[in-house]
Amino acid sequence: MQDTARISVSSLQNTLLETWQNYYQLTKPRIIPLLLITTAASMWIASEGKIDPILLLVTLTGGTLAAASAQTLNCIYDLDIDYAMVRTRKRPLPSGKVQPRHALIFALTLAGLSFGLLARFANLQAALLAMMGIIFYMVVYTHMLKRNTPQNIVIGGAAGSIPPLVGWAAVTGELSWAAWLLFGLIFLWTPPHFWALALMIREDYASVNVPMLPVVEGEEATTEQIWIYSLLVVPVSLMLIYPLGVCGVVYGAFAVVLGAIFLQKAWVLLKNPEDLPLAKSMFKYSILYMMVLCTGMVIDSLPITHHMVQACTGHLEALMGMVLSMS
Ligand code: HEM
Ligand SMILES: CC(C)=CCC/C(C)=C/CC/C(C)=C/COP(=O)(O)OP(=O)(O)O
């Protein structure tokens, strides 16, 4: 009797774990951490390094729920092409592990929880922006653009640029030029990020008639576009320092070094458009770039960083004074 009970408890545990894993995978969980890093960086800048930990927790939780809802809705809408593409056919919906109706209830519940959490414990602006992210991603990118134009991810990239707006609004209740610059930075970063990947999986997209740029215009045109957007990303990343003045020299060092590597990779890819390992390297670096750049924003915003920079500046001025007095 006891053995039977033990077996049924164990099988129930396994079933629950498997169900959790299936719904977890529906949310495309590996993408969400970078969305949250851009949100957190925005919050640290907006709060000038003195962030409220509860507000940070609430906003990142609300952002996670919203992104999870958006990605689940995207999986429901794209069930047909996800089933056909090699890269996506093992996802929970095309593989039949989760039913679309249950996924829809899951996604709408996540969106409701996100809105409630952000509206109650952050503010209405952050909650509405998170919902805007879901709606823009689903209506503009997934429904209107993805299957119809090679500019799909350029315009649709605005969805993935909304998280820092949510973070900024959560801290300040409004959207300043700096918030929109962070939006613009991710907006311009998205094409190099995704088109480098799309170069590697263009046959997959061609098999389901999704007009990604490499499918429609080929590798050369795609690597040219990656180069052009990369040339825009780097100066825009420096605009946080000048003219906006919300980041300082520490962030500047991150932005210059990371940006130089970004441009170098984009340039080499431009000269070798059919080199898929280079495309893979560019895709992976695009993620590292955004991750470390946002880390630089956070470090730069900390009060201790400002004190250290001021101390160094003071020592440098004293040294310069000594050198000048000796000459
Ligand atoms: C329209 C805009 C975007 C498109 C079309 C896009 C597309 C993709 C695709 C297809 C993948 C491969 C995922 C997989 O096969 O499971 C991917 C990976 C990834 N994306 Fe993007 N992406 C976009 C914007 C963003 C944004 C805004 C971020 C974060 C700020 C982001 C972060 C990531 C990360 C971290 C990965 C790696 C996930 C992994 O390691 O498997 N993406 N992206
Ligand atoms: C505030 C808020 C919730 C904003 C939304 C942020 C968000 C979910 C961005 C997703 C960007 C992305 C990875 C798109 C890929 O979709 P795809 O359909 O091209 O990818 P797939 O082919 O791998 O399914």
Side-chain angles (χ1 to χ4, degrees), residues 10 34 61 110 139 160 209 213 219 226 318:
S10 160
L34 190 53
T61 305
L110 290 175
V139 174
N209 299 315
L213 193 63
E219 288 101 340
I226 288 173

Side-chain angles (χ1 to χ4, degrees), residues 101-144:
R101 189 164 44 87
H102 297 157
L104 182 61
I105 294 166
F106 175 62
L108 296 176
T109 304
L110 290 175
L113 288 172
S114 170
F115 183 82
L117 184 73
L118 290 171
R120 173 66 184 76
F121 295 104
N123 55 43
L124 187 58
Q125 294 89 332
L128 290 172
L129 280 164
M131 295 306 108
M132 260 180 62
I134 296 173
I135 293 165
F136 191 93
Y137 178 52
M138 280 312 299
V139 174
V140 177
Y141 172 65
T142 309
H143 171 64
M144 290 170 64

Side-chain angles (χ1 to χ4, degrees), residues 19 36 58 65 100 109 145 153 211 240 243 248 275 282 305 309 326:
T19 304
L36 297 182
V58 162
L65 293 169
T109 304
L145 299 174
I153 64 98
L240 284 169
D275 188 324
M282 180 72 196
T305 306
V309 168
M326 285 160 66

Side-chain angles (χ1 to χ4, degrees), residues 30-31 34-35 38 87 91 141 153 156-157 160-161 186 189-190 193-194 197 201 205 283 287 290:
R30 290 166 57 95
I31 290 172
L34 190 53
L35 295 168
T38 63
R87 176 177 61 89
R91 286 179 173 174
Y141 172 65
I153 64 98
S161 310
I186 297 168
W189 165 89
T190 296
H193 157 71
F194 172 69
L197 172 75
I201 55 176
Y205 283 116
F283 168 67
I287 293 160
M290 189 53 71

Side-chain angles (χ1 to χ4, degrees), residues 57-201:
L57 180 67
V58 162
T59 308
L60 294 185
T61 305
T64 299
L65 293 169
S69 172
Q71 309 245 65
T72 301
L73 290 169
N74 170 276
C75 285
I76 297 167
Y77 189 96
D78 279 348
L79 177 52
D80 57 335
I81 58 174
D82 280 1
Y83 183 80
M85 289 199 290
V86 173
R87 176 177 61 89
T88 54
R89 66 172 51 133
K90 288 198 174 70
R91 286 179 173 174
L93 284 172
S95 59
K97 292 173 185 163
V98 176
Q99 294 308 308
R101 189 164 44 87
H102 297 157
L104 182 61
I105 294 166
F106 175 62
L108 296 176
T109 304
L110 290 175
L113 288 172
S114 170
F115 183 82
L117 184 73
L118 290 171
R120 173 66 184 76
F121 295 104
N123 55 43
L124 187 58
Q125 294 89 332
L128 290 172
L129 280 164
M131 295 306 108
M132 260 180 62
I134 296 173
I135 293 165
F136 191 93
Y137 178 52
M138 280 312 299
V139 174
V140 177
Y141 172 65
T142 309
H143 171 64
M144 290 170 64
L145 299 174
K146 181 174 175 180
R147 304 185 192 205
N148 298 311
T149 165
Q151 291 306 308
N152 46 17
I153 64 98
V154 177
I155 304 155
S161 310
I162 289 175
L165 298 184
V166 175
W168 197 283
V171 170
T172 68
E174 58 185 14
L175 294 177
S176 69
W177 280 111
W180 285 110
L181 193 85
L182 290 167
F183 174 95
L185 177 60
I186 297 168
F187 185 81
L188 295 170
W189 165 89
T190 296
H193 157 71
F194 172 69
W195 280 337
L197 172 75
L199 284 166
M200 293 187 283
I201 55 176

Side-chain angles (χ1 to χ4, degrees), residues 281-301:
S281 168
M282 180 72 196
F283 168 67
K284 289 194 172 299
Y285 179 74
S286 72
I287 293 160
L288 182 70
Y289 170 86
M290 189 53 71
M291 217 175 269
V292 179
L293 190 71
C294 287
T295 305
M297 292 175 197
V298 174
I299 294 170
D300 183 273
S301 74

